[in-house]
Amino acid sequence: MLELRNLSKHFGGVRAVEELSLTIGQGEIFGLIGPNGSGKSTTVNLICGVFPTTSGAVVFEGRDLTDAPSHRVVAAGIGRTFQNIRLFGDLTVWQNLWVAQNSVKERETGWLTRWLGGERRGRDYAEELLKFAGLSDRSGELARNLAFGEQRRLEMARALAARPKLLLLDEPAAGMNAEEIRQLATRIRALREHGMTILLVEHVMELVMGVTDRIAVLNFGQKIAEGEPAEIRQDPAVRTAYLGTADA
Amino acid sequence: MDFYYGMAQLIGVHTLLGLSAYVVLLTGQVSMAQAGFFAIGAYLGGMLTVLAGLHIVPAMLLAAVASALVATVVGFPALRVKGLMLVVATLAFGEAVRIFWFNFDYQIAKGNIQVGPLGGEGFKQIRYFPENGWSTADVAIFIWAWVIAAMVALWWMDRSRVGSVLRAVGEDELAAQSVGINLTAVKVSAMGIGGFIAGLGGAIYAHYTTHIEHLNFGVVLATFAIAYPILGGLSSVIGVLLAVIFIQGFLVEVLRFMGDWRNLLFGALIVLAMNVRPDGLFDARATRALKRLLGGRDA
Amino acid sequence: MADYWWDVIDPIQSVLDGMMFGSIYALIGIGFTLIFGVMHKINLAYAAASIGGAYASLVAFQILSAPALVVFLCAAAASGVIGYIVYICCFRFIPEHLPLATLMASVGMLILIDEVVVHATAGMPEPYPAMFDDVMIDISPFWIRGDLLMIFALSVVAMLILLYVLYRTRLGIATRAVAQQPSAAQLCGIGQQQTNAVTFVITGALGGLAGAMVGASVGILSPLLALPLTVKGLVVTVIGGLGSIPGAIVAGILVGGFENVFQYFRGVTERDIYVMLLLFVFLTFRPQGLFGRISTRD
Amino acid sequence: MKRLLTIAAAVGVAMSVGTTADAADRTVKIAGFGAMSGVVRSFGINTDAVMRAAAKAINDAGGVKLADGSMAPMEVSFDDDRCNAEEGISVVRRIASSDAVVGVGPTCSNVAEPLFGILQAKAGDEGDSGLQFPIFTDTAIKGGLAKISEWAFRNVPNESQMYQTLFEWLASEHPDAKSVYGGVEEDFAHSRFTWYKVMKTRSADAGYEVKGEAKWLLNDTNFTTQVRAMKRAGADVIAISAHPFTTCGVLKEMARQRVEYKVLVGLTSSSSLETLNGCAKQAEGIIIPTSFAPVNPDAVAAADAAAALGGSADLHSAAAWEIMMILKDVIETAGIQATADSVAADRRAIRDGLATLKTTKGLLGEITRTDEGEAVKPYVYVHAADGTWAVLHDPNT
């Protein structure tokens, strides 16, 4: 479904991502892990067209998305969340979802009503998303007034509002307690039930090992291992580079 | 009574100027080019009625469209820069427009006098209103018809998805892109809408002051343009109107009796207002209260 | 000398004059850039405060008939005080996350300072002292105005002092720390508000000197000066690269020089259009300015 | 909401214009306006003081005689228009909504021009909805403004005539001076008009060779390039059409570059204190034609009366003195009622009275008035000598 071909990104002399190749299949939950500064977030940003690639290609469903502007990436069916939450704080919870409704399905309705119509349009799907994120009773609240966990959930719901096929989650568990992480894992699995493909970039091993089908490990911008969670856990290279220092 | 109609005219025109900056500010762009668009509207509007003999309404619309086109063209390079760079870039553009009109001569004979813009000496006798027997009240009502139309359109836009999208872009461009918003389209359209409204305002301005010259459209006017929405608070079009009334009505007109003190108070009260209400005179809370008052659903 | 020679000499002479005049733009540009560097905010009242300081120093000139250099220093001191007042009124109490509010407040301050000056002087042009204004250095075929050279030298000295303060003293290091990492600096015990206030006083003093230099180079002060200086100062700041002091210096001199080139070849009425075009060229091909870094923060 | 309404009501009250006139003590209300703030603040201060001084002089002598033979005092008000077109219009609309019978002002040409535009072009023209309110302008020198409206009158010198005779006189006084070089503040309507349409053509008419002109903008500070060209031209007469700030800047630069000239001519409106305040030393000898100088007992008395009220009588403000005196005569001839109900009729009567005037008395002698509402005022040539303006020559003698 998503294929990265020899993707590289250099910032000046720093090789943030080097010759990275990955293939994520339809319906898969794919984990991308690695120590701090290993290039995980850069990879997400490259897929989303935040900054231009140095070399290599991003191919999604057979279409070349290398260096496509972000909004085209979204239109192609890729949604994302951010490591440090980036909600529209001065908009309400509901409006955050509303602005994100850019999918093909919405575009089929007349542009006039879609853009200039009132807030009632697209309500059903948004209602569904709010329920999914556990925010049904907070739709009129300004996003900035939400608690931290709620903000994380809203951001994920916002990414889903555009009806993506592939969801990139950039460290969604950062700052969460064990209970919240458990709920997150349930939510991720539920998404897969709905046919969503997920790329999970994460630090928290508990989560990654628990929900992913396959994992790739980055170190210094390069892929040092790829395989099923169990294999990765045993991989000596990974142990020295990463797991050796982190609590598995 | 004439005086009040005159004030209504002035407040109406400045509200249009403020609204034009408001739209652009929603996308997070502080544009100091609004005075430039205003000038384009003023000169073209004046030329269309005086030189081409058009009726005021088509003259205004044509001037506004031209001004919107220029604004759209400015919108593209403006995408590259943000923050202070954008302030300075748009300021430079506004000044360039002013200097363009300063160097622009186009006069034709009409009766026994020459009419049309004449560079540094200005463009005089744009007397469409008095020549056609419009009373001060007529003109005030005419201007307010436009102002209300613009305000209703923008109020509606604010409540529609467009408004949320503009604000989303203003708040976080990266996040806005990542939910599929086309930044270029949004920012350039905002510039275009702003240019259109500024063009309308400029065209009326030329007609109600009857004489324009390049010095009218300098940095001071550009500053006023952004002052209205900022002082009014960016939460609704009502704020813009309130800020215009505060500046043009209160600081300029009501305080006139204070003579010498008026001008000292002018700056000082703006400083004070920003300290007391940094979110603007009419902030988000006030807007929500108003929406409830109007029976709207507080989504 | 043959006539055609003047066609070569005159433009060069114009550029020389312009570049020396540009050192004033540089001083104003440094002020904008420094405040931007530390607070990421624009202080639009800056040029007005500079002229205000120069006006305040007229007291020393007209009543105490102090020598020119003392008058200049008084201008610097007065502008430092005004800088502090501007900080208190427009920046101190307005929340950090509302840059538009501070922008507007500084506009209010600009109007206020201008109007105070107008009230104090009835808007009359006031004579301002200069040093060496009767000296004309003749390096045939060119000549250089003694007072402009003096202004140039004083500006350079002021910039060197500023660079020393910024890079060699504890105060300067604190300022730069706040500029780069406000929260981390706070953890290290560097008071952000104190640093900001000090930045305003230092840049204010620098602006006062610039105001005095403007007065000295023209020979008169007028409240008319504040607005054009604000515009030119901002242009210089952007061309030089936001937050870059060497950038502001080079850009100031560059803009001063170009201004005169355009004036010489295209006339005074079109001059400023070309200055603005120069700015657009920079924004298009080098948006980070002469010495600015491309921001890698998102 | 309630608080908002209270504020709105308060604003409404504060904005309202007084329209009550007590029949018992009738006064003739004259409304002055001009710039009291900004760089031309001195204009407003002076005009305000001169108008009050003139009103005091008239009232001390008994006041103005009304239609029914009773005497009424003159009452003067003064509003600040910031030298801004929109504010000027607002101020006049405000005055016109009060019971003032005539307006005196504005100072700035750039206010006068739009302002005259909102007045009715032809008095009594039903099809023209312009404001019907007489305005008698003191300063606003830019040529030919009064023809915009029949309700507009000016008491300003005729620059074209002044400079014509000045250059003719100079040609006879300085037969060795053959050529003229101009300096013009290019972006200000009045100074630009005066150079291109007045000084340049009039000096050519007087037989001078015009060698060109240096141009600068009104807030320029660097004149090196322009002055170098000026020096290169080597003209005998330098004529500067600019306001005091840049006039001083240019004169200082001319001193630095040691520009040599035989005669220096300046713009009418620069014959004020501002120029002397800014650069008395460099301006020494500059010759300016002006419609006011304290050369006779009347003029001295007017200047003293103004000084007593904190203003200075110069060519701008002295015109306001004359206007007050002219208005007194016109009002007495026209015979106005000065009651609350007669305001419109009184204004019309004053306008018609002003329109029929052929000659009036001025401080320097008789002023002839044209059908277009312009004045042809007597004038003198002054020059800067030892930090004051001294009369150099009186063309009438």
Side-chain angles (χ1 to χ4, degrees):
Chain A
M1 188 175 203
L2 178 75
E3 201 185 340
L4 305 184
R5 293 179 190 154
N6 303 323
L7 201 62
S8 296
K9 177 67 190 178
H10 302 167
F11 293 107
V14 183
R15 289 154 186 260
V17 176
E18 182 73 8
E19 297 285 324
L20 176 63
S21 295
L22 281 180
T23 309
I24 301 171
Q26 169 79 46
E28 207 173 10
I29 299 181
F30 193 96
L32 190 61
I33 62 171
N36 267 334
S38 59
K40 305 183 300 284
S41 283
T42 308
T43 308
V44 172
N45 284 335
L46 286 176
I47 298 170
C48 291
V50 173
F51 26 67
T53 53
T54 306
S55 65
V58 178
V59 178
F60 181 68
E61 292 190 316
R63 284 164 60 195
D64 185 14
L65 283 183
T66 319
D67 294 342
S70 296
H71 64 95
R72 289 235 349 257
V73 174
V74 179
I78 301 179
R80 74 170 292 189
T81 65
F82 292 88
Q83 187 177 342
N84 44 341
I85 307 168
R86 303 185 76 136
L87 289 169
F88 306 119
D90 281 334
L91 299 187
T92 61
V93 168
W94 156 254
Q95 283 170 328
N96 266 280
L97 298 181
W98 198 24
V99 296
Q101 295 183 350
N102 285 295
S103 75
V104 180
K105 195 173 169 200
E106 265 99 30
R107 220 160 307 134
E108 280 162 1
T109 61
W111 65 271
L112 206 64
T113 44
R114 194 169 80 89
W115 282 97
L116 298 176
E119 296 191 0
R120 249 169 271 273
R121 283 209 52 77
R123 212 153 175 127
D124 296 348
Y125 183 47
E127 223 53 278
E128 208 178 299
L129 284 173
L130 283 175
K131 215 162 96 197
F132 169 76
L135 291 168
S136 298
D137 52 340
R138 313 219 54 179
S139 75
E141 191 65 61
L142 287 187
R144 70 158 80 248
N145 297 337
L146 295 184
F148 179 79
E150 292 175 317
Q151 293 198 350
R152 279 259 181 244
R153 301 202 300 266
L154 175 58
E155 207 192 18
M156 198 194 268
R158 187 183 67 181
L160 293 171
R163 300 179 195 260
K165 297 170 202 153
L166 169 68
L167 187 62
L168 310 182
L169 299 174
D170 197 352
E171 303 204 11
M176 284 188 171
N177 60 31
E179 172 55 28
E180 286 169 325
I181 291 176
R182 248 193 312 282
Q183 289 175 3
L184 177 64
T186 317
R187 214 167 280 121
I188 291 175
R189 285 195 203 96
L191 282 176
R192 197 233 307 258
E193 301 297 305
H194 282 83
M196 185 82 63
T197 310
I198 292 164
L199 173 61
L200 177 65
V201 174
E202 195 41 88
H203 227 67
V204 181
M205 282 308 121
E206 202 185 327
L207 179 65
V208 181
M209 294 300 172
V211 299
T212 55
D213 302 321
R214 278 193 307 137
I215 296 177
V217 186
L218 288 186
N219 197 18
F220 296 113
Q222 280 168 316
K223 185 167 78 177
I224 55 171
E226 186 178 341
E228 287 176 13
E231 293 167 25
I232 294 297
R233 215 189 282 270
Q234 304 308 323
D235 192 297
V238 178
R239 287 189 92 86
T240 41
Y242 185 67
L243 296 180
T245 56
D247 180 34
Chain B
M1 219 39 217
D2 219 35
F3 164 64
Y4 296 104
Y5 290 130
M7 278 313 294
Q9 294 179 7
L10 192 146
I11 287 173
V13 169
H14 281 258
T15 304
L16 286 175
L17 182 64
L19 290 177
S20 83
Y22 171 81
V23 182
V24 182
L25 261 172
L26 284 186
T27 63
Q29 307 181 91
V30 180
S31 163
M32 292 284 276
Q34 301 311 114
F37 306 141
F38 196 72
I40 293 172
Y43 272 90
L44 286 181
M47 283 162 75
L48 286 170
T49 57
V50 174
L51 303 182
L54 247 58
H55 186 271
I56 181 92
V57 173
M60 279 174 65
L61 289 174
L62 283 173
V65 167
S67 167
L69 286 177
V70 175
T72 313
V73 173
V74 175
F76 281 99
L79 282 173
R80 292 176 59 93
V81 290
K82 282 185 214 163
L84 177 59
M85 311 270 268
L86 182 73
V87 173
V88 178
T90 47
L91 177 72
F93 176 79
E95 280 291 277
V97 170
R98 177 179 70 77
I99 302 167
F100 169 80
W101 292 116
F102 172 36
N103 285 286
F104 182 83
D105 292 344
Y106 183 80
Q107 285 205 305
I108 59 168
K110 189 178 169 191
N112 52 0
I113 51 164
Q114 291 282 315
V115 291
L118 182 63
E121 281 175 41
F123 181 2
K124 67 174 106 174
Q125 304 237 38
I126 311 170
R127 297 188 78 248
Y128 182 88
F129 290 140
E131 274 170 9
N132 288 286
W134 294 45
S135 73
T136 321
D138 294 340
V139 177
I141 292 165
F142 178 72
I143 292 175
W144 273 90
W146 290 97
V147 175
I148 288 168
M151 283 182 71
V152 167
L154 291 185
W155 172 269
W156 179 35
M157 189 202 78
D158 246 354
R159 289 178 58 91
S160 76
R161 183 158 173 267
V162 183
S164 294
V165 167
L166 291 180
R167 286 170 197 278
V169 168
E171 224 177 289
D172 189 334
E173 294 189 0
L174 183 60
Q177 276 182 306
S178 79
V179 298
I181 294 170
N182 183 345
L183 273 194
T184 312
V186 170
K187 284 179 151 188
V188 171
S189 322
M191 273 297 224
I193 297 172
F196 186 85
I197 299 175
L200 280 182
I204 306 182
Y205 174 85
H207 288 87
Y208 97 98
T209 57
T210 74
H211 170 90
I212 51 176
E213 57 181 54
H214 69 105
L215 290 174
N216 296 347
F217 307 103
V219 183
V220 176
L221 191 72
T223 313
F224 272 104
I226 58 163
Y228 298 136
I230 294 177
L231 203 63
L234 280 172
S235 59
S236 88
V237 287
I238 304 290
V240 177
L241 177 61
L242 277 186
V244 174
I245 293 173
F246 175 69
I247 291 184
Q248 295 296 340
F250 181 71
L251 292 185
V252 172
E253 218 37 62
V254 173
L255 291 186
R256 197 178 290 289
F257 75 93
M258 300 203 70
D260 267 7
W261 287 98
R262 181 180 67 135
N263 279 284
L264 291 171
L265 278 175
F266 188 90
L269 285 178
I270 289 179
V271 173
L272 185 71
M274 281 341 293
N275 273 282
V276 177
R277 291 193 77 88
D279 268 317
L281 298 172
F282 199 80
D283 58 10
R285 266 183 56 204
T287 306
R288 276 201 298 280
L290 183 73
K291 273 185 186 161
R292 266 198 297 275
L293 207 69
L294 293 179
R297 192 171 35 82
D298 195 17
Chain C
M1 203 173 304
D3 270 357
Y4 56 82
W5 261 113
W6 292 117
D7 292 340
V8 182
I9 291 168
D10 267 1
I12 298 175
Q13 177 75 56
S14 285
V15 173
L16 284 178
D17 291 340
M19 284 167 67
M20 281 196 289
F21 212 85
S23 56
I24 295 162
Y25 297 157
L27 284 178
I28 299 282
I30 290 175
F32 278 120
T33 234
L34 203 58
I35 293 171
F36 188 84
V38 174
M39 295 187 72
H40 291 275
K41 301 249 169 78
I42 324 174
N43 172 18
L44 283 178
Y46 182 62
S50 307
I51 297 297
Y55 263 99
S57 70
L58 279 174
V59 175
F61 176 56
Q62 289 176 351
I63 298 175
L64 310 173
S65 20
L69 194 62
V70 177
V71 176
F72 297 163
L73 292 177
C74 288
S79 266
V81 175
I82 300 177
Y84 186 70
I85 296 172
V86 171
Y87 172 68
I88 293 295
C89 293
C90 308
F91 292 84
R92 174 68 177 80
F93 298 106
I94 295 178
E96 188 102 4
H97 66 275
L98 295 169
L100 290 179
T102 49
L103 178 83
M104 218 52 245
S106 71
V107 168
M109 208 62 198
L110 186 160
I111 298 171
L112 180 62
I113 294 173
D114 241 19
E115 208 49 48
V116 168
V117 164
V118 164
H119 272 253
T121 63
M124 295 236 195
E126 297 287 341
Y128 202 76
M131 295 169 84
F132 306 112
D133 57 343
D134 46 359
V135 177
M136 210 52 118
I137 301 162
D138 191 348
I139 1 166
S140 267
F142 303 111
W143 46 257
I144 291 170
R145 263 170 66 178
D147 57 342
L148 277 190
L149 198 64
M150 183 64 208
I151 287 166
F152 192 75
L154 269 180
S155 309
V156 171
V157 170
M159 291 172 205
L160 288 178
I161 292 175
L162 179 72
L163 289 176
Y164 175 82
V165 169
L166 272 186
Y167 288 90
R168 288 282 177 275
T169 63
R170 192 179 176 278
L171 178 73
I173 291 163
T175 310
R176 288 189 302 133
V178 169
Q180 280 150 19
Q181 281 296 337
S183 44
Q186 210 137 23
L187 289 178
C188 301
I190 299 171
Q192 196 180 340
Q193 255 130 26
Q194 278 147 290
T195 315
N196 288 346
V198 169
T199 310
F200 269 84
V201 173
I202 293 177
T203 54
L206 199 69
L209 198 64
M213 295 299 107
V214 174
S217 64
V218 196
I220 26 179
L221 282 177
S222 162
L224 271 175
L225 290 166
L227 220 46
L229 269 189
T230 307
V231 174
K232 288 283 157 60
L234 286 173
V235 168
V236 162
T237 311
V238 167
I239 291 182
L242 289 181
S244 160
I245 291 174
I249 296 172
V250 176
I253 294 169
L254 190 77
V255 168
F258 267 103
E259 212 175 52
N260 269 18
V261 172
F262 297 134
Q263 175 164 330
Y264 184 84
F265 288 106
R266 296 298 311 166
V268 72
T269 57
E270 292 178 23
R271 178 190 68 202
D272 288 352
I273 287 195
Y274 293 99
V275 175
M276 301 311 171
L277 280 181
L278 182 74
L279 177 82
F280 291 140
V281 168
F282 265 93
L283 286 176
T284 313
F285 295 105
R286 212 178 152 74
Q288 74 274 33
L290 280 172
F291 291 86
R293 284 175 302 259
I294 299 175
S295 169
T296 47
R297 298 188 319 168
D298 45 30
Chain D
M1 200 59 211
K2 203 167 171 186
R3 211 175 57 181
L4 209 69
L5 284 176
T6 330
I7 294 170
V11 167
V13 170
M15 276 175 81
S16 64
V17 264
T19 45
T20 48
D22 199 339
D25 49 349
R26 286 182 288 172
T27 53
V28 176
K29 290 197 172 118
I30 315 259
F33 60 102
M36 285 282 247
S37 40
V39 283
V40 286
R41 172 169 157 84
S42 60
F43 287 175
I45 294 177
N46 291 337
T47 303
D48 178 31
V50 166
M51 283 180 67
R52 281 185 289 123
K56 187 166 178 291
I58 290 169
N59 294 339
D60 286 351
V64 192
K65 192 158 87 185
L66 301 178
D68 57 6
S70 63
M71 302 295 278
M74 265 191 177
E75 190 186 309
V76 170
S77 63
F78 199 87
D79 279 313
D80 176 18
D81 68 9
R82 259 189 252 240
C83 194
N84 169 298
E86 285 182 286
E87 273 202 46
I89 292 175
S90 294
V91 164
V92 166
R93 287 200 197 279
R94 173 189 276 258
I95 297 169
S97 301
S98 73
D99 50 1
V101 287
V102 57
V104 178
T107 325
C108 303
S109 311
N110 59 312
V111 177
E113 205 156 2
L115 189 56
F116 294 172
I118 69 157
L119 299 177
Q120 198 178 43
K122 297 220 180 320
D125 179 357
E126 291 294 320
D128 190 330
S129 60
L131 196 61
Q132 301 176 29
F133 182 69
I135 293 179
F136 207 161
T137 299
D138 55 341
T139 321
I141 282 180
K142 186 181 172 191
L145 291 186
K147 69 175 172 222
I148 297 174
S149 164
E150 287 184 1
W151 289 85
F153 300 91
R154 297 204 305 168
N155 184 31
V156 296
N158 182 328
E159 279 194 309
S160 187
Q161 189 199 32
M162 287 199 305
Y163 282 97
Q164 182 176 354
T165 56
L166 175 67
F167 282 111
E168 282 164 3
W169 179 74
L170 286 176
S172 63
E173 286 289 299
H174 301 269
D176 51 331
K178 298 284 180 215
S179 54
V180 172
Y181 193 84
V184 51
E185 205 171 70
E186 189 73 16
D187 58 343
F188 202 76
H190 166 220
S191 46
R192 192 180 135 106
F193 180 87
T194 305
W195 167 251
Y196 291 102
K197 305 272 171 64
V198 180
M199 290 181 175
K200 195 173 180 176
T201 48
R202 295 296 164 241
S203 58
D205 291 348
Y208 286 95
E209 177 202 354
V210 180
K211 287 199 159 178
E213 64 258 324
K215 303 169 186 176
W216 57 84
L217 306 183
L218 81 142
N219 46 25
D220 268 3
T221 47
N222 180 359
F223 308 98
T224 49
T225 308
Q226 292 96 328
V227 171
R228 204 159 35 248
M230 177 187 285
K231 187 179 185 183
R232 186 86 26 78
D236 304 315
V237 179
I238 306 282
I240 295 177
S241 178
H243 293 89
F245 173 62
T246 58
T247 300
C248 277
V250 168
L251 289 176
K252 291 203 168 182
E253 183 63 27
M254 284 164 66
R256 279 184 212 109
Q257 297 200 18
R258 302 193 181 86
V259 177
E260 286 166 10
Y261 51 84
K262 296 199 176 74
V263 181
L264 189 60
V265 174
L267 181 67
T268 326
S269 35
S270 288
S271 68
S272 60
L273 265 184
E274 294 167 275
T275 314
L276 296 179
N277 196 43
C279 55
K281 198 173 114 206
Q282 289 77 11
E284 184 77 12
I286 190 170
I287 301 171
I288 299 181
T290 172
S291 53
F292 178 78
V295 289
N296 58 39
D298 277 0
V300 172
D304 289 347
L309 291 178
S312 127
D314 55 20
L315 89 153
H316 304 122
S317 52
W321 178 283
E322 294 170 344
I323 287 174
M324 293 292 283
M325 298 304 160
I326 295 169
L327 284 175
K328 175 180 185 288
D329 291 345
V330 168
I331 288 169
E332 288 183 347
T333 318
I336 68 165
Q337 311 282 331
T339 61
D341 306 326
S342 67
V343 172
D346 289 350
R347 288 174 182 170
R348 182 61 198 252
I350 290 174
R351 190 218 80 85
D352 293 343
L354 284 170
T356 51
L357 282 183
K358 288 291 168 236
T359 59
T360 49
K361 198 170 142 306
L363 287 169
L364 296 194
E366 192 169 79
I367 302 171
T368 21
R369 306 203 56 86
T370 69
D371 292 340
E372 280 182 341
E374 303 283 352
V376 181
K377 296 181 74 172
Y379 48 90
V380 293
Y381 309 145
V382 295
H383 67 156
D386 299 325
T388 56
W389 293 108
V391 176
L392 179 67
H393 175 69
D394 185 345
N396 293 324
T397 56

